[in-house]
Each structure stands twice: as C-alpha cells, then as structure tokens.
C-alpha cells in the first residue's frame, strides 16, 4: 500500500497527490509497484497528478497506460529519457 512507500515526499514543491486505488491496483497487477516506488518523489507525484487531472475516463486510462509502459521499459519519464531509471 501507499503507506509502505519509503520515498521522502517532504521536499516536493507541489502538494502530494493521493494515489487512487485503481492506479495502485494497475501497478500491482503489472508487477510495477517497485519500479514506481523506485522513481523520485516528484515523478511519483507528477504521474498521479497528471493521470487524475484528466477529466475523461478514456484520457485517464491512456495516461495510466503510458505510465505503466514507461515503468515497464525503464529509462523513460513522460516520454523523455530518464537515465537513472534505465534497465540494464
């Protein structure tokens, strides 16, 4: 659960976004929760804000799929190269 996350969110410049249960379930179903938790706090927070800001369920689903794909691939954050998360 979100409470088990060891990421330090104290330095975020934006308000911490609560993770919706359906996002957590998707991460768990795909086996990507640890990959998500390994990302920096700002990325975790930005992904959740970006997904949940979408008004239409179809847009939320599309954004969730992009996040899951990026976590699966590693080395990508919001369609940008992210070397720190690259898989060897």
């Amino acid at each position: 659960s979100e409470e088990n996350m060891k990421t330090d969110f104290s330095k975020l410049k934006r308000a911490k976004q609560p993770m919706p249960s359906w996002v957590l379930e998707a991460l768990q179903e795909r086996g990507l929760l640890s990959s998500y938790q390994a990302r920096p706090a700002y990325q975790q927070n930005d992904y959740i804000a970006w997904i949940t800001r979408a008004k239409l369920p179809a847009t939320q689903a599309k954004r969730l799929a992009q996040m899951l794909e990026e976590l699966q691939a590693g080395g990508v954050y919001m369609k940008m190269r992210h070397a720190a998360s690259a898989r060897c």
Side-chain angles (χ1 to χ4, degrees):
S1 75
E2 191 174 0
E3 292 80 30
N4 294 334
M5 297 171 70
K6 294 176 177 67
T7 305
D8 178 9
F9 288 94
S10 66
K11 295 183 173 120
L12 287 178
K13 294 182 178 168
R14 297 182 187 109
K16 183 177 182 303
Q17 301 297 307
M19 181 184 290
S21 60
W22 51 272
V23 173
L24 179 60
E25 289 166 12
L27 287 165
Q28 291 171 330
E29 286 171 8
R30 294 275 298 267
L32 294 171
L33 185 58
S34 62
S35 295
Y36 173 84
Q37 291 173 334
R39 293 293 180 109
Y42 79 90
Q43 286 188 14
Q44 293 180 36
N45 203 48
D46 286 354
Y47 268 134
I48 298 303
W50 178 63
I51 292 166
T52 59
R53 250 193 336 262
K55 291 182 173 68
L56 299 175
T59 307
Q60 288 183 344
K62 180 179 175 183
R63 291 177 180 185
L64 175 61
Q66 179 182 324
M67 179 188 75
L68 295 171
E69 289 166 11
E70 290 179 359
L71 292 171
Q72 182 77 43
V76 183
Y77 168 66
M78 298 288 190
K79 296 186 178 182
M80 296 178 290
R81 187 172 176 274
H82 184 256
S85 65
R87 300 195 189 279
C88 299

